[in-house]
Amino acid sequence: MIEQYVWDLREVDEKQIAVVGGKGAHLGELSQIEGIRVPGGFCVTTDAFRRILAQAPSIDDRLDQLSRVAPDDREAIRTLSAQIRRTIEAIAIPDDISVAITRALAQLGEQAACAVRSSATAEDLPTASFAGQQDTYLNVVGPASVLRHVSRCWASLFTERAVTYRQRNGIDHRTVRMAVVVQQMVFPHAAGILFTADPVTGNRKVATVDAGFGLGEALVSGLVNPDVFTVRQGEVVAKAIAAKTRAVHALPAGGTQEVAIAPQRQEQPALTDAQVVRLVQLGRRIEAHFGRPQDIEWCLADDDFQIVQSRPITTLFPVPEAGDQENHVYVSVGHQQMMTDPMKPLGLSMWQLTAMVPMHEAGGRLFVDATRRLASPTSRAALLDLMGRGDPLVRDALETVLGHDDFVPSLPDAPPGRPQSSRPQSGGPPASGAPTPIATDPAIVTELIERSRESVAALERDIRTKTGPALFDFLLTAFEEHKRVLGDPLNLQAIMAGMEATWWLNDKLQEWLGEKNVADTLTLSAPDNITSEMGLALLDVADVIRARPEVVAFLQGVEDEDFLDELTKLAGGAEAHAAIEGYLDRYGMRCVGEIDITRPRWRERPTTLVPVILDNVRNFEPGAAERRFEQGRQKARKKEQDVLSRLRALPDGDRKADETKRMIDRVRTFIGYREYPKYGIISRYFVYKQALLKEAERLVQADVLPEKDDIFYLTFQELHDVVRSNQVDDQLIQQRKDAFRSYHALTPPRVLTSDGEALSGAYRRDDVPAGALIGLPVSVGTIEGRARVILDMAQADLEAGDILVTTFTDPSWSPLFVGIAGLVTEVGGLMTHGAVIAREYGLPAVVGVAQATRLIRDGQRIRVHGTDGYVEILP
């Protein structure tokens, strides 16, 4: 039947993506929106494409070969994709398909000029736009030419760029089909692109219009710079008129050509302000229909706008749902927790249920609404001060928002008697106010650690008998205990005591002695730091393994997670097994990105630790852990004596020295404890996870779920419902998997507004050398060495003197810190885990260096200025 190969655009909507592809479905949907004009035309369906592929069995073999090619093997992709394209273009279009196309063409006028446009089933989707990946042909005239260009569009599914894009987005080539859109050609006075949200800032209330003379190809191809108009609230608020020297026009016999624009017209605007505003109004109508910001291609002919494409803007970071029309300012949780990767739904919901403040999800990340704290003058000042001390980029981003007129409403200060506690470990920005000071007493830390251990032990004991719906009721109670331990006033007082003592020492000693960040040295080898102990403990494991050559040789070839069972069969393997197991018993709940409960823990994936153990075996001598800790302690003690001696020589020196001594004692008492609450959180998380995975195994055995890891794509409440009903929405899980995959392409901002403005802040500094990479100084000293750019801890291969360059570090990275000479990260703040451990180990460190892993190449020599906060790339 003719109908299976050709559909009129007016018959198509978004439900037919599988038949007419993303572009065809969007154009069909657009043509049904009141007031939106779309050039008439038809779609050649994916059924026709399937027929064509069926006539070339050799394509199957080449698709098999393509599936095995790495996304960065450009030569292999280029060769295979070219072979597939040539094969498709050589296939004669079957008579019934060519007849269907020719008849549809007759409805437009046989000699009508047409645009012949590719429309893949994985194109213009909410999660992957595929913009520009396949081909479009303009001003195609006559049936024979249209048929030839339809074949070319089919073949363009396998352009090198389209193949590479699919492989990088994890899309199977066999699952994608190609339809072709044939539309009546528009010969415009002007054409261009409308973004219904600012594509740079993300602001949803700002639209931008790019415009040029003639066909839009001149802009898309980069032939000319466009006029750029910025529109807000129905008014052109900014415009930049370019000198447009060239345009692309249609030729009478078909095809297009570049033409020169007369000098007197070159700097005339392609659109009037009134036309721009009218176009944006049409864009807002289209945006409202699709429910998200759009990237729209438009043409202007006879003062009438026609829409030739609309696709979602996939690069915008989503905005949290607020449920009201008020302005909101959100601060990223991930930048404080050193985990800016997306989290799976179960991970998001578990963190929300156990956090001390409400959290909002967007783009697979969590944010805290800081609007109320920014609205009150006192809490605003306290928040900005605390954010600025931790991460000046967050402060800068917040100040940028506060600089927008009236975006944040001004509210009176909270009445007296209602102090807001500071909760640095809750995952959100601390509230204003500080907890009551406590005595400098090491017994307080001992008591807090014991309370946490007892709470985790009780959880492990009580959860063992809980299954089914009863488990979820138990967990909801456990989450309250989780928050009670975290919110214990003594816990908050101890954390703040260490932080405030650090700030006091750095501020006062810079004022009195002119020395920056002295606390970095004074806190070396501070007691009770569970995270630094974790790194040193792996050195002790390496000591056990180093003395057993057969075990070392075995570990060098380890790939399977059951390698620990095999260890005991080797000479010395029992001792090595006991050492690793002992380490996993204490630290096996940790992993990279550990705030996401769905991430595999070291206990679940112990091979992660093997490269680090082998590095330690190679790079260190026996007893390194004890020596290293003692060296740090002695260095801190020597620094203390030096500082106190210099202070006593100053006017009023005895008082200054006595105050400083009290603060040194205080910082060494409490600063190590700051890492323990996170350890307690993650210890509890592992207990929760093990119980939930047992439920998942039961669901798999009952054929409710195909795989136990599918529970990670459900929220806690949704999983509770599945356990109660023994029913699951498979489609929902698949949608969540697709969305999670797409979130990896998004860069989360430090600050996000309800208007969609994404801000990452800037350093306002002019005291660094030209070409240096600016960051935040978090651990003093200067070090020069080889940069090792490592994005996956399991791929670590370090030598003594290397400088670790990575996106972010959380406590799980600390075993690497014992073997490096310095640290550079893209994300981080003064009191985040990587900074704390860098100071603990005496490593010069600079964090918050934008795009460090891209700008610094693996193996390059760099110089890290940990005192002044910048990195130099050396020749």
Side-chain angles (χ1 to χ4, degrees):
M1 290 177 59
I2 292 175
E3 284 295 319
Q4 73 181 99
Y5 298 126
V6 171
W7 283 18
D8 190 286
L9 267 181
R10 291 166 296 185
E11 301 173 321
V12 171
D13 61 28
E14 288 208 298
K15 301 184 191 72
Q16 278 92 38
I17 286 179
V19 179
V20 297
K23 185 176 295 170
H26 261 67
L27 286 167
E29 193 80 25
L30 280 166
S31 66
Q32 297 175 28
I33 303 174
E34 186 178 351
I36 302 300
R37 291 202 57 194
V38 176
F42 58 90
C43 295
V44 183
T45 67
T46 54
D47 288 337
F49 178 72
R50 234 181 245 112
R51 277 274 304 277
I52 295 298
L53 289 194
Q55 293 184 226
S58 64
I59 289 177
D60 270 346
D61 296 334
R62 294 198 178 105
L63 287 177
D64 286 338
Q65 293 174 53
L66 259 185
S67 67
R68 294 190 292 270
V69 171
D72 55 357
D73 188 347
R74 297 185 63 181
E75 187 56 42
I77 291 173
R78 185 180 299 119
T79 301
L80 286 166
S81 58
Q83 290 171 354
I84 294 171
R85 288 198 307 278
R86 283 196 298 269
T87 301
I88 292 173
E89 287 189 43
I91 297 170
I93 299 178
D95 289 346
D96 50 347
I97 296 177
S98 62
V99 166
I101 294 171
T102 304
R103 285 180 179 171
L105 198 55
Q107 301 295 312
L108 302 178
E110 266 197 16
Q111 295 304 310
C114 295
V116 182
R117 314 172 70 192
S118 305
S119 179
T121 53
E123 185 176 4
D124 296 342
L125 304 181
T127 56
S129 77
F130 271 76
Q133 299 304 312
Q134 284 90 38
D135 290 346
T136 286
Y137 301 96
L138 300 178
N139 200 28
V140 180
V141 179
S145 187
V146 167
L147 289 169
R148 187 165 62 253
H149 285 87
V150 166
S151 285
R152 289 182 180 175
C153 284
W154 286 330
S156 75
L157 187 65
F158 297 99
T159 61
E160 181 185 344
R161 61 186 182 273
V163 168
T164 302
Y165 189 93
R166 284 196 294 274
Q167 295 199 195
R168 287 183 175 158
N169 282 274
I171 298 171
D172 185 347
H173 302 298
R174 294 178 186 278
T175 64
V176 184
R177 303 292 182 191
M178 179 66 84
V180 181
V181 175
V182 179
Q183 282 178 285
Q184 204 149 21
M185 188 70 190
V186 179
F187 301 101
H189 157 76
I193 300 165
L194 158 65
F195 295 97
T196 64
D198 189 316
V200 177
T201 68
N203 195 318
R204 285 10 179 222
K205 291 186 176 176
V206 172
T208 65
V209 175
D210 290 3
F213 294 125
L215 293 167
E217 292 303 294
L219 304 188
V220 173
S221 64
L223 181 64
V224 296
N225 291 324
D227 296 342
V228 180
F229 301 86
T230 303
V231 178
R232 187 182 184 108
Q233 295 178 333
E235 181 182 349
V236 175
V237 294
K239 57 184 169 183
I241 306 304
K244 301 170 287 295
T245 59
R246 312 285 291 173
V248 174
H249 285 175
L251 291 169
T256 60
Q257 70 172 9
E258 292 178 22
V259 297
I261 295 177
Q264 64 271 24
R265 285 190 64 216
Q266 289 178 4
E267 296 192 18
Q268 289 180 5
L271 296 177
T272 66
D273 284 9
Q275 288 171 329
V276 169
V277 169
R278 180 153 51 95
L279 175 61
V280 170
Q281 289 170 345
L282 295 175
R284 292 290 180 217
R285 194 175 297 178
I286 294 169
E287 178 185 66
H289 180 86
F290 288 115
R292 58 185 300 162
Q294 297 288 300
D295 164 0
I296 298 167
E297 294 177 26
W298 55 269
C299 296
L300 177 68
D302 300 324
D303 200 35
D304 186 21
F305 284 106
Q306 298 207 43
I307 306 301
V308 295
Q309 177 66 296
S310 182
R311 61 173 71 89
I313 308 175
T314 58
T315 56
L316 295 179
F317 200 88
V319 179
E321 292 183 13
D324 59 37
Q325 298 302 310
E326 303 297 318
N327 290 343
H328 295 270
V329 181
Y330 302 99
V331 176
S332 165
V333 173
H335 284 83
Q336 296 164 70
Q337 290 296 331
M338 295 299 91
M339 217 297 273
T340 54
D341 289 345
M343 296 168 67
K344 294 183 179 127
L346 185 63
L348 291 165
S349 65
M350 292 289 278
W351 193 260
Q352 287 171 309
L353 286 165
T354 53
M356 302 297 290
V357 292
M359 296 198 173
H360 307 265
E361 184 273 334
R365 279 80 168 189
L366 290 170
F367 295 84
V368 171
D369 189 341
T371 316
R372 288 195 66 81
R373 274 176 265 174
L374 290 170
S376 160
T378 301
S379 61
R380 178 194 310 141
L383 180 63
L384 290 174
D385 179 59
L386 202 53
M387 290 286 100
R389 286 181 179 275
D391 184 347
L393 293 177
V394 174
R395 176 173 184 145
D396 182 78
L398 289 172
E399 287 177 333
T400 300
V401 175
L402 290 168
H404 297 342
D405 291 343
D406 301 325
F407 186 83
V408 177
S410 188
L411 299 174
D413 286 327
R418 291 177 54 195
Q420 294 175 294
S421 64
S422 176
R423 291 170 173 160
Q425 284 289 349
S426 69
S432 62
T436 309
I438 52 174
T440 302
D441 182 359
I444 292 173
V445 172
T446 304
E447 178 188 349
L448 284 167
I449 290 173
E450 188 54 34
R451 284 187 198 177
S452 179
R453 285 176 179 163
E454 288 174 358
S455 178
V456 173
L459 173 66
E460 290 174 330
R461 182 185 66 243
D462 296 343
I463 205 170
R464 285 179 193 143
T465 58
K466 305 297 189 294
T467 62
L471 169 66
F472 289 82
D473 295 336
F474 170 82
L475 283 173
L476 289 172
T477 303
F479 297 162
E480 293 308 308
E481 166 66 5
H482 180 125
K483 289 191 278 190
R484 186 196 66 76
V485 172
L486 201 57
D488 182 340
L490 192 61
N491 178 53
L492 301 173
Q493 289 168 329
I495 292 169
M496 289 307 297
M499 291 170 65
E500 288 170 346
T502 299
W503 298 335
W504 189 95
L505 286 166
N506 282 336
D507 291 348
K508 290 297 185 183
L509 294 181
Q510 182 163 6
E511 177 188 339
W512 292 339
L513 299 177
E515 191 172 342
K516 293 181 181 178
N517 301 329
V518 182
D520 294 3
T521 306
L522 294 170
T523 54
L524 289 170
S525 297
D528 300 311
N529 189 319
I530 188 73
T531 307
S532 64
E533 288 169 9
M534 179 170 68
L536 296 175
L538 207 59
L539 287 175
D540 291 335
V541 172
D543 284 354
V544 174
I545 289 168
R546 188 183 295 106
R548 293 163 174 82
E550 196 173 328
V551 173
V552 173
F554 169 76
L555 290 178
Q556 286 169 342
V558 158
E559 292 181 359
D560 298 328
E561 299 300 342
D562 59 0
F563 75 93
L564 286 170
D565 297 334
E566 300 297 314
L567 261 185
T568 54
K569 302 172 186 175
L570 306 174
E575 295 86 349
H577 180 276
I580 296 173
E581 280 289 343
Y583 187 87
L584 290 172
D585 285 345
R586 184 149 171 76
Y587 304 110
M589 77 293 290
R590 309 218 81 149
C591 69
V592 174
E594 60 192 9
I595 70 169
D596 183 352
I597 198 173
T598 72
R599 291 283 190 108
R601 312 281 136 175
W602 290 344
R603 170 56 79 182
E604 298 168 310
R605 195 173 288 173
T607 54
T608 305
L609 294 173
V610 171
V612 191
I613 293 171
L614 291 173
D615 282 348
N616 288 348
V617 166
R618 185 176 67 249
N619 295 331
F620 292 92
E621 296 296 322
E626 186 176 347
R627 279 196 308 277
R628 193 180 185 107
F629 186 81
E630 182 58 24
Q631 285 167 358
R633 200 174 67 83
Q634 292 295 341
K635 193 173 179 182
R637 183 172 177 77
K638 185 178 177 183
K639 188 67 176 179
E640 176 183 333
Q641 293 168 345
D642 169 63
V643 163
L644 296 178
S645 172
R646 288 159 61 198
L647 285 172
R648 287 195 177 97
L650 298 175
D652 197 20
D654 287 344
R655 178 188 64 80
K656 290 173 180 174
D658 288 346
E659 285 185 16
T660 300
K661 172 60 176 167
R662 283 197 297 274
M663 282 299 176
I664 291 172
D665 290 345
R666 192 164 179 80
V667 80
R668 290 194 66 81
T669 297
F670 291 114
I671 199 63
Y673 175 71
R674 189 183 181 282
E675 293 293 298
Y676 203 89
K678 182 75 170 284
Y679 177 78
I681 291 171
I682 302 308
S683 296
R684 296 180 72 89
Y685 263 34
F686 193 42
V687 179
Y688 304 152
K689 182 179 185 180
Q690 288 172 303
L692 292 173
L693 283 175
K694 286 179 182 173
E695 288 302 309
E697 286 170 6
R698 280 189 276 275
L699 291 170
V700 171
Q701 289 166 3
D703 291 327
V704 177
L705 288 175
E707 297 177 12
K708 65 179 183 179
D709 285 4
D710 283 349
I711 67 166
F712 298 158
Y713 297 93
L714 299 170
T715 66
F716 179 83
Q717 186 55 57
E718 288 167 347
L719 179 55
H720 190 179
D721 293 341
V722 170
V723 168
R724 252 198 311 254
S725 66
N726 265 359
Q727 293 181 322
V728 70
D729 183 344
D730 295 328
Q731 191 174 1
L732 174 66
I733 289 177
Q734 187 55 53
Q735 287 170 353
R736 296 273 178 79
K737 288 180 178 179
D738 293 341
F740 177 72
R741 189 183 301 115
S742 75
Y743 292 152
H744 282 277
L746 299 173
T747 301
R750 284 176 170 81
V751 171
L752 182 66
T753 73
S754 49
D755 281 357
E757 188 172 6
L759 302 107
S760 290
Y763 295 107
R764 312 294 175 177
R765 295 177 56 186
D766 55 9
D767 59 343
V768 299
L773 308 180
I774 301 175
L776 177 66
V778 295
S779 186
V780 295
T782 300
I783 192 70
E784 185 177 312
R786 180 180 70 156
R788 292 311 315 271
V789 180
I790 297 173
L791 303 180
D792 180 353
M793 184 177 151
Q795 304 300 317
D797 180 16
L798 294 165
E799 294 179 7
D802 283 348
I803 297 169
L804 174 63
V805 180
T806 191
T807 312
F808 58 79
T809 63
D810 58 14
S812 72
W813 285 75
S814 58
L816 289 186
F817 282 38
V818 298
I820 60 176
L823 173 70
V824 179
T825 69
E826 295 181 349
V827 177
L830 190 62
M831 298 306 294
T832 49
H833 304 283
V836 170
I837 303 307
R839 290 193 291 272
E840 174 74 13
Y841 288 160
L843 304 174
V846 180
V847 303
V849 180
Q851 297 189 331
T853 58
R854 298 178 193 174
L855 297 173
I856 300 171
R857 293 196 310 274
D858 187 52
Q860 273 187 317
R861 288 193 68 75
I862 61 173
R863 187 181 296 127
V864 178
H865 296 262
T867 306
D868 295 313
Y870 63 91
V871 180
E872 291 180 283
I873 299 175
L874 303 177

